[in-house]
């Protein structure tokens, strides 16, 4: 990109794709008041340069699975290899190096009823270079996931948001995985805007069947679309994970409040030594300090805060991230 920041149209496109990752260019152009060619040209430019990527993400909690966030503390010389091993697994969706390379944060999913031999925890690399592992089960999300990141969802006005937000009739039943869905999810993780022909080839179905299946998965909440964009281009060059200990009676109020902050990409109540996890993006160290001292510091009920700056993300939304 010519500019270190996304321009106004880039931001509006990013917001629009967060609302509907498969919105036709013609509809998007109509709502934004620009030409089809302008929308298509700008999107292909953003995607080809790796600035923006639209991805389809399975909402595993709708499919009988639970989500765990793991903290793997290890020796610095082993962190890269262990993170790579975790990223290779099919059941991890996000892997990042944090805390100067001494810790790995990893999202993984597992069946609600795990087998006796366990899943990821029982299969971590058997090495003394792993110092400790803590597991936090996500109980409820207040920001992130299908809700998106509020900080990058302010480029469109209310009328545009309403025009681009899909509306389902509410008649869809609880989703169940079918043969070909795993391949469909894998193709959408690579490119959420892949053509029906591409998705049909990947999943071994007809285009008509793929179209119906996409509509069903989206209507039941089993599939949503996310937009991967370098947070630095949104003015947030410093990303961090925060682990908060919150008084239980204040947990819901604190979670809902911080979910409205533009710096916050994810808020989730969890099990484990702490009970609220945040993923945030700030401009720099001073901005992170202000967030900790003034934004969080002003909220009653928070009695513990641990901050882990992210230094590199290796896997995101189920796909490898180019170095």
């Amino acid at each position: 990109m010519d500019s270190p920041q996304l321009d106004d149209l880039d931001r509006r496109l990013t917001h629009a794709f967060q609302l509907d990752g498969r919105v036709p260019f013609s509809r998007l152009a109509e709502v934004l008041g620009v030409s089809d060619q302008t929308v298509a040209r700008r999107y292909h430019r953003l995607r080809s340069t790796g600035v923006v990527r639209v991805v389809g993400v399975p909402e595993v909690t709708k499919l009988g699975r639970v989500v765990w966030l793991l903290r793997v503390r290890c020796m610095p010389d082993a962190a890269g290899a262990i993170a790579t091993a975790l990223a290779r697994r099919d059941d991890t969706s996000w892997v990042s190096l944090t805390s100067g390379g001494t810790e790995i944060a990893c999202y993984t999913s597992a069946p609600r009823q795990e087998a006796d031999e366990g899943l990821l925890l029982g299969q971590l690399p058997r090495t003394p270079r792993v110092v400790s592992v803590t597991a936090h089960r996500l109980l409820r999300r207040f920001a992130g996931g299908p809700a998106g990141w509020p900080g990058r969802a302010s480029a469109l006005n209310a009328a545009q948001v309403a025009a681009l937000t899909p509306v389902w009739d509410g008649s869809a039943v609880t989703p169940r995985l079918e043969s070909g869905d795993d391949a469909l999810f894998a193709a959408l993780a690579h490119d959420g805007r892949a053509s029906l022909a591409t998705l049909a080839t990947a999943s071994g179905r007809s285009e008509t069947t793929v179209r119906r299946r996409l509509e069903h998965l989206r209507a039941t909440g089993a599939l949503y679309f996310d937009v991967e964009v370098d947070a630095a281009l949104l003015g947030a060059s410093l990303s961090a994970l925060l682990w908060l200990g919150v008084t239980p009676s204040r947990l819901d109020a604190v979670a809902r409040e911080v979910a409205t902050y533009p710096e916050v990409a994810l808020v989730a109540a969890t099990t484990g030594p702490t009970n609220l996890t945040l993923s945030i993006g700030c401009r720099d160290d001073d901005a992170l300090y202000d967030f900790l001292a003034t934004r969080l510091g002003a909220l009653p009920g928070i009695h513990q805060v641990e901050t882990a700056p992210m230094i590199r993300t290796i896997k995101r939304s189920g796909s490898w991230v180019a170095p």
Side-chain angles (χ1 to χ4, degrees), residues 22-290:
R22 293 186 66 83
V23 59
F25 287 151
S26 57
R27 176 60 175 158
L28 190 49
E30 177 186 358
V31 172
L32 297 184
V34 296
S35 70
D36 295 16
Q37 294 83 359
T38 296
V39 169
R41 184 170 58 249
R42 183 62 65 93
Y43 169 72
H44 290 305
R45 176 190 175 196
L46 291 170
R47 191 178 191 283
S48 65
T49 55
V51 173
V52 169
R53 194 167 73 98
V54 179
V55 294
V57 183
E59 178 60 296
V60 296
T61 58
K62 297 283 188 177
L63 299 169
R65 299 178 70 84
V66 296
V67 179
W68 291 88
L69 174 54
L70 306 182
R71 300 182 70 181
V72 183
R73 290 190 173 93
C74 49
M75 302 301 292
D77 61 344
I82 294 172
T84 299
L86 290 171
R88 289 197 182 103
R89 296 178 59 97
D90 292 336
D91 55 358
T92 59
S93 59
W94 184 78
V95 180
S96 183
L97 290 172
T98 70
S99 303
T102 62
E103 184 172 302
I104 301 164
C106 169
Y107 282 98
T108 183
S109 67
R112 283 196 170 88
Q113 298 297 325
E114 293 190 53
D116 291 341
E117 64 270 19
L119 196 69
L120 183 59
L121 290 179
Q123 301 173 27
L124 283 171
R126 303 286 203 275
T127 170
R129 312 307 285 172
V130 173
V131 177
S132 67
V133 179
T134 55
H136 305 251
R137 179 163 162 170
L138 270 63
L139 302 177
R140 181 174 298 178
R141 277 183 308 215
F142 296 83
W149 180 359
R152 66 182 184 204
S154 59
L156 302 178
N157 60 41
Q160 291 171 327
V161 169
L164 292 170
T165 301
V167 178
W168 310 107
D169 62 14
S171 63
V173 296
T174 302
R176 294 180 182 274
L177 284 178
E178 296 180 355
S179 175
D181 281 349
D182 286 343
L184 178 62
F185 285 136
L188 290 169
H190 176 71
D191 181 5
R193 292 188 60 83
S195 68
L196 288 176
T198 298
L199 296 176
T201 299
S203 61
R205 296 161 161 165
S206 69
E207 292 185 31
T208 300
T209 300
V210 167
R211 180 185 293 108
R212 287 199 301 262
R213 190 62 182 154
L214 285 175
E215 291 175 356
H216 175 76
L217 291 170
R218 297 181 72 185
T220 57
L223 170 68
Y224 68 93
F225 289 88
D226 199 4
V227 181
E228 294 182 356
V229 56
D230 185 350
L233 297 174
L234 297 170
S237 59
L238 174 59
S239 297
L241 288 175
L242 274 60
W243 313 87
L244 275 58
V246 183
T247 302
S249 62
R250 289 284 304 162
L251 181 58
D252 193 75
V254 170
R256 294 183 186 280
E257 174 65 21
V258 297
T260 66
Y261 297 168
E263 300 94 337
V264 176
L266 170 77
V267 181
T270 71
T271 63
T274 55
N275 57 3
L276 195 65
T277 296
L278 277 60
S279 176
I280 68 170
C282 295
R283 183 184 65 256
D284 51 27
D285 288 345
D286 283 340
L288 175 58
Y289 174 84
D290 289 339

